[in-house]
């Protein structure tokens, strides 16, 4: 059963440190999404890519967040410098981008910034 | 007003009950509607998806979309303790575009 893989599953670090989260989309999926989930806001889009090109990053704080797809099998989300308000669960999802097929999610990276 | 509204619950029902979960939305451009189930410390898992208005059935689950009322529903028949989870509605305006989520309804089914 194909799955989206995210690493690390958990990350605890101190304020000001750089955080890198990684995502391996489902093989053959050309659209990759980053979402953030908090109790207050629920699930919200940060950015998404199609064929490795960014399509929308309007949900990301640009001064500290960056998202890239170095190749078709890897997406990264970086926070530098991290702040306590970045504490959340970060989810990656992928979809085939053709016709309509819905997105499938990974199990997330649970991030705590002290 | 958020684009998608969903009652957070919690909703508690006995095993075997019929469960009704609902979302309302404000953006008439939404065309694709999904329901995801999320267990604690796991990612959202796709349950149902529909395009435009109408009903879709899959086993014990039925999804309904009423675009004229901007209202979507998920019905669970013969609910089981394993259905205890958070249910998220999600929608988008175009194929393969980002989803807008409701905040989720927490369901507990007791045996």
């Amino acid at each position: 059963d194909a799955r989206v893989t995210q690493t690390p599953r958990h990350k605890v670090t101190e304020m000001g440190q750089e955080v890198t989260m990684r995502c391996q989309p489902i093989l053959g999926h050309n659209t990759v999404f980053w979402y953030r989930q908090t109790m207050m806001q629920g699930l919200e889009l940060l950015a998404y890519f199609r064929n490795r090109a960014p399509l929308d990053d309007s949900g990301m704080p640009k001064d500290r967040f960056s998202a890239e797809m170095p190749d078709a099998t890897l997406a990264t989300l970086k926070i530098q410098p991290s702040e306590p308000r970045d504490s959340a669960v970060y989810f990656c999802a992928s979809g085939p981008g053709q016709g309509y097929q819905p997105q499938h999610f990974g199990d997330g990276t649970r991030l705590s910034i002290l | 007003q958020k684009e998608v509204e969903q009652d957070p619950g919690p909703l508690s029902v006995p095993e075997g009950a019929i469960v009704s979960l609902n979302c309302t939305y404000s953006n008439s451009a939404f065309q694709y509607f999904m329901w995801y189930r999320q267990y604690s410390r796991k990612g959202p898992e796709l349950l149902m998806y529909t395009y435009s208005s109408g009903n879709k059935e899959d086993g014990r689950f039925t999804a309904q979309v009423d675009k004229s009322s901007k209202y979507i529903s998920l019905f669970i028949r013969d609910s089981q303790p394993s259905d205890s989870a958070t249910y998220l509605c999600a929608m988008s305006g175009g194929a393969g575009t980002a989803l807008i989520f409701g905040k989720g309804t927490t369901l507990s089914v007791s045996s």
Side-chain angles (χ1 to χ4, degrees), chain B:
Chain B
Q1 182 193 8
K2 286 185 72 74
E3 280 191 285
V4 179
E5 299 281 356
Q6 184 176 9
D7 186 339
L11 183 61
S12 296
V13 301
E15 183 175 357
I18 295 175
V19 176
S20 172
L21 303 167
N22 311 293
C23 289
T24 59
Y25 63 95
S26 57
N27 189 341
S28 58
F30 289 146
Q31 296 281 349
Y32 299 91
F33 303 92
M34 279 132 282
W35 287 94
Y36 285 84
R37 177 175 63 195
Q38 187 175 25
Y39 292 115
S40 180
R41 297 186 176 268
K42 302 289 280 185
E45 169 195 12
L46 181 70
L47 273 179
M48 304 280 286
Y49 70 97
T50 55
Y51 171 71
S52 194
S53 285
N55 295 357
K56 187 172 184 178
E57 188 173 321
D58 184 1
R60 297 185 294 111
F61 298 91
T62 300
Q64 290 185 351
V65 175
D66 181 350
K67 290 190 69 182
S68 63
S69 301
K70 296 189 179 69
Y71 188 87
I72 70 170
S73 300
L74 177 71
F75 297 96
I76 307 174
R77 290 183 298 281
D78 187 25
S79 56
Q80 302 295 311
S82 59
D83 295 329
S84 299
T86 297
Y87 290 79
L88 299 152
C89 64
M91 46 200 81
S92 71
T97 60
L99 297 174
I100 307 298
F101 282 87
K103 292 182 97 172
T105 299
T106 300
L107 171 67
S108 176
V109 181
S110 55
S111 56

Side-chain angles (χ1 to χ4, degrees), chain A residues 20-75:
Chain A
T20 299
M21 291 169 272
R22 294 178 174 80
C23 168
Q24 180 176 1
I26 292 172
L27 189 64
H29 283 187
N30 69 348
T31 308
V32 176
F33 304 82
W34 285 104
Y35 294 90
R36 176 169 62 184
Q37 187 175 40
T38 62
M39 290 292 290
M40 290 296 294
Q41 301 298 327
L43 263 168
E44 295 184 307
L45 178 75
L46 293 174
Y48 79 100
F49 296 76
R50 180 159 296 137
N51 296 321
R52 298 174 56 200
L55 287 189
D56 184 351
D57 61 1
S58 58
M60 281 201 320
K62 305 283 192 310
D63 56 337
R64 299 184 301 108
F65 283 60
S66 62
E68 296 180 342
M69 281 200 75
D71 62 58
T73 65
L74 177 64

Side-chain angles (χ1 to χ4, degrees), chain A residues 1 18 28 43 54 83 99:
Chain A
D1 200 18
E18 178 177 298
L43 263 168
E83 298 180 1

